[in-house]
Amino acid sequence: MVNHETFNRAQVLLKEAAQKRHIETGSHKYQHHYLFSGKIICGNCGTTFKRQTRPNKIYWACQRHLKSAKQCPIKAVPEASLEVTFCNMMNKLIYSRKFLLQPLLENLQVQANSDTHGRLNSLTKRIKANDHKAETLTQLMQTGLLDRAIYINQTTKLEQDTYQCQEKLKQLNGKNTDSANNFEDVRTLLNWCQQGKQLTEFDEGIFQEFVQQIVVNSSNKATFILKCGLALPEKLNKAATIDEHFFRSIIKQRYNDPIKQAEYLYSIIESEGDLIG
């Protein structure tokens, strides 16, 4: 029989070993064991996806669907399909960086500089004005020029207004922090895209750097939530092949006729020249 001291020591050793492997013990044992662990969410029920090993393939499945299809209809998706779709998404961002990411970065900067600062200054001035009014009321009351009941009533209103202003300041500062984080994350993404190196295979490091979460909406559609705040829907590529010239496929889907394809491509070059290349 194992005594109490030996058992406790064994638990400590197991926990240390799990931490070395980046595996948590308990109900979330394998939360960080795999790259996609904890990152894939069901778009229907919100449940985290679970890794499944099938013959010659790895799948990720909604845990409620695994219990019963009645609980959630979202079927499992192949890991390879998620990897390829991620590559295609990143390649799209490389291709469209000048007309999508560059304006986004500029707009975030303009928003941070103009919108919030004026409101912050206004609220700060209002708090200072309330403090000055409160001091004046105190002086009037102390010199006997103001009734105590009126003093209490007026100072209470000023305190309430100051409190509301302080709460608004906290909210705005929180938004400022979020906007600043988004700005930095978009800039990092744009800098990577500007290198122009399209993905020809899945890269774990790039995935970890830019992706916050994947929401699986159906067996053939997923939305990639990027750390910069962008939510980008994508069709899951069942063929598991990376399309290095995705824009040609888009044009072909829109126009079957070769002449129309060429005309459409020309219109893009003419009106959105920065989009090409």
Side-chain angles (χ1 to χ4, degrees):
M1 181 179 289
V2 179
N3 61 41
H4 186 69
E5 183 180 350
T6 304
F7 176 80
N8 287 340
R9 178 59 184 160
Q11 291 298 308
V12 171
L13 292 172
L14 285 170
K15 188 174 182 180
E16 288 176 353
Q19 288 173 344
K20 288 179 181 178
R21 297 195 306 271
H22 303 289
I23 302 173
E24 295 183 3
T25 55
S27 60
H28 301 290
K29 185 177 178 181
Y30 300 103
Q31 187 173 352
H32 301 296
H33 187 41
Y34 301 104
L35 180 67
F36 290 136
S37 296
K39 284 186 176 290
I40 307 175
I41 306 296
C42 179
N44 180 67
C45 67
T47 304
T48 305
F49 271 40
K50 180 181 179 181
R51 189 176 187 267
Q52 283 189 312
T53 303
R54 300 182 187 179
N56 303 320
K57 243 179 191 181
I58 296 170
Y59 280 79
W60 288 86
C62 169
Q63 295 187 61
R64 284 192 180 179
H65 180 80
L66 290 176
K67 291 178 182 177
S68 170
K70 292 181 180 178
Q71 290 189 30
C72 183
I74 303 297
K75 297 179 180 179
V77 294
E79 183 175 87
S81 180
L82 292 169
E83 292 177 348
V84 165
T85 304
F86 166 76
C87 292
N88 286 334
M89 179 201 67
M90 295 303 292
N91 288 343
K92 282 186 184 182
L93 289 175
I94 291 171
Y95 177 71
S96 60
R97 63 189 182 274
K98 292 182 182 178
F99 96 103
L100 192 154
L101 294 178
Q102 187 66 54
L104 172 60
L105 189 68
E106 292 168 359
N107 290 336
L108 284 172
Q109 191 167 25
V110 169
Q111 186 182 51
N113 291 338
S114 62
D115 227 20
T116 318
H117 291 302
R119 293 166 69 188
L120 285 172
N121 290 334
S122 176
L123 289 167
T124 303
K125 288 179 181 178
R126 192 161 151 187
I127 291 171
K128 287 182 179 178
N130 286 346
D131 291 341
H132 180 69
K133 289 177 184 177
E135 289 176 7
T136 303
L137 288 171
T138 301
Q139 291 172 0
L140 290 172
M141 196 267 294
Q142 289 174 346
T143 56
L145 297 173
L146 184 67
D147 182 74
R148 183 172 180 79
I150 297 174
Y151 166 78
I152 293 172
N153 178 268
Q154 292 299 312
T155 52
T156 300
K157 287 181 179 179
L158 288 172
E159 286 172 1
Q160 290 174 347
D161 187 66
T162 296
Y163 174 78
Q164 290 175 357
C165 289
Q166 289 171 339
E167 289 300 304
K168 288 178 182 177
L169 279 174
K170 288 179 185 178
Q171 292 175 4
L172 287 172
N173 284 324
K175 288 180 181 178
N176 273 353
T177 302
D178 292 340
S179 296
N181 290 338
N182 286 344
F183 178 84
E184 289 302 322
D185 288 335
V186 170
R187 183 163 64 176
T188 302
L189 178 59
L190 177 59
N191 288 341
W192 180 84
C193 289
Q194 285 173 335
Q195 297 174 22
K197 296 178 182 177
Q198 293 210 350
L199 295 180
T200 56
E201 61 181 6
F202 182 71
D203 188 305
E204 290 189 5
I206 293 172
F207 177 86
Q208 286 179 316
E209 184 172 5
F210 296 117
V211 177
Q212 184 73 38
Q213 211 168 58
I214 302 173
V215 178
V216 176
N217 309 105
S218 68
S219 58
N220 57 11
K221 183 184 176 184
T223 301
F224 287 81
I225 312 296
L226 304 189
K227 292 179 181 178
C228 66
L230 287 172
L232 305 176
E234 280 289 335
K235 289 182 179 179
L236 290 174
N237 191 332
K238 293 182 180 179
T241 55
I242 298 172
D243 189 352
E244 296 180 43
H245 303 286
F246 76 92
F247 57 92
R248 295 178 188 172
S249 299
I250 293 172
I251 294 170
K252 286 180 182 178
Q253 289 173 13
R254 187 172 296 190
Y255 301 105
N256 293 323
D257 183 270
I259 296 294
K260 294 295 182 184
Q261 291 176 22
E263 289 174 351
Y264 178 70
L265 183 59
Y266 177 78
S267 71
I268 294 176
I269 297 172
E270 183 180 42
S271 61
E272 297 174 354
D274 289 340
L275 174 61
I276 305 301

